[in-house]
Amino acid sequence: MVGKTTSNKATPASRGGPFGVAAGARGPAAHGTRDQQRLLDVFANAFGTVLASEAFPAVLQDIKQALFRRDFAAAFAAESCLEAYAARWSPTRALCYARVLHDVGDHVQQMLGCEGHAKQGDLQRGSTDEPPRGSNVFNVVSIGGCAAEHVAFASYVHDTSSRGALTLLDAAPWSYVTSRLHNALTSAPPLSKYASAAAMASNQPLLLDAQLPTTFCQSDVLSLTQERLTELVGADPLLVTLLFTLNELYSDGGLGKTTAFLRSLGGAVASQSLLLVVDSPGSYSEAAVGKDKKRYPMQWLLDHTLLSAEARDYWWEKLESHDSVWFRIPEALSYPIQLENMRYQMHLYRIHKP
């Protein structure tokens, strides 16, 4: 529920208590409250005027009503709606996704290999003319991705002192929001004029400008040709994500188109690539199939498509699976409006090719 205040005064982000299941850190260092607060500050700095606007509650209500009607064009057509959505609902998901990335960090590092980390000094000296690609770079294509995914991947790249190349693909026009977040991620956060000399000297942006080149592609993923999908994912191993997206594809695009897309994805990505799926748990993620509209769990449909023996030129390995995980926001965190805890299911796969 949205807090009553829309001022810039910081309020507790939640009273949800400690982290729940699967909160341990693997791969990079643990993602603590200081790191999480910095991510919330990115949103607060990028969308401060939006959060403080008197129209903010009304815009949120319009978005809720449009989403309830499943009228996505109305919910996400206007720039003001996209900014409001990013300011209101993306912060919690960004923290959650950042934690998930840290939890699967061992698998990411295995995909990248031990040579995948560049030093900060190397990044400052590197060219920014072309987005980096290759085995030394954490390449990510986030399908249905927007503000939350952008900040979560920025967090991972920062915490591992690595380089990344992020492609966000969604049917809504998120390019302006992406640009605002990129500026907030690559600019030092604002300080009080009374800040100490030490605070000013240590005030650094979360990312260097060349550390995570980000491209936004506005497109319906179910309409992509095999050639275009292959072009998007590139020739190197990468992470593909479907974060609170796959169930929407099943529900709105249908079983046939979504299954065809998943099979096309398997044919397009390089061997050793990872597929990360996060979505609502339990009965919240079910799709109706057939004339009798029998409902099947999203996870069952996904496993049936990926783990069947039909594809002979590649096969998927299921690395991790969690049916229901709580992400709880620590009381110590602050944000201009109240944020809520969230629950999700998570599944991670690796593809193998001869």
Side-chain angles (χ1 to χ4, degrees), residues 171-195:
W174 290 99
S175 56
Y176 179 69
V177 168
T178 300
S179 177
R180 290 190 68 164
L181 282 173
H182 178 77
N183 290 337
L185 290 165
T186 57
S187 302
L191 292 177
S192 166
K193 63 180 180 180
Y194 303 108

Side-chain angles (χ1 to χ4, degrees), residues 29-98:
H31 204 235
T33 53
R34 182 177 179 181
D35 303 300
Q36 292 171 324
Q37 184 60 59
R38 191 167 189 184
L39 301 189
L40 292 183
D41 291 344
V42 167
F43 282 99
N45 293 332
F47 303 110
T49 56
V50 176
L51 290 160
S53 170
E54 293 183 358
F56 185 57
V59 174
L60 292 181
Q61 190 61 32
D62 290 342
I63 296 173
K64 288 180 180 179
Q65 291 175 354
L67 292 176
F68 181 78
R69 301 191 307 268
R70 304 193 71 79
D71 185 354
F72 299 111
F76 299 125
E79 198 171 86
S80 59
C81 292
L82 295 172
E83 290 179 306
Y85 184 96
R88 171 62 184 90
W89 287 290
S90 294
T92 300
R93 287 194 176 182
L95 297 185
C96 177
Y97 297 162

Side-chain angles (χ1 to χ4, degrees), residues 158-222:
H158 166 80
D159 292 344
T160 55
S161 297
S162 57
R163 300 182 71 191
L166 173 62
T167 298
L168 302 167
L169 186 148
D170 194 71
W174 290 99
S175 56
Y176 179 69
V177 168
T178 300
S179 177
R180 290 190 68 164
L181 282 173
H182 178 77
N183 290 337
L185 290 165
T186 57
S187 302
L191 292 177
S192 166
K193 63 180 180 180
Y194 303 108
S196 67
M200 292 182 180
S202 63
N203 190 32
Q204 299 292 327
L206 189 75
L207 293 181
L208 300 172
D209 194 55
Q211 204 169 349
L212 185 66
T214 300
T215 302
F216 175 74
C217 298
Q218 185 177 354
S219 183
D220 175 7
V221 69
L222 298 183

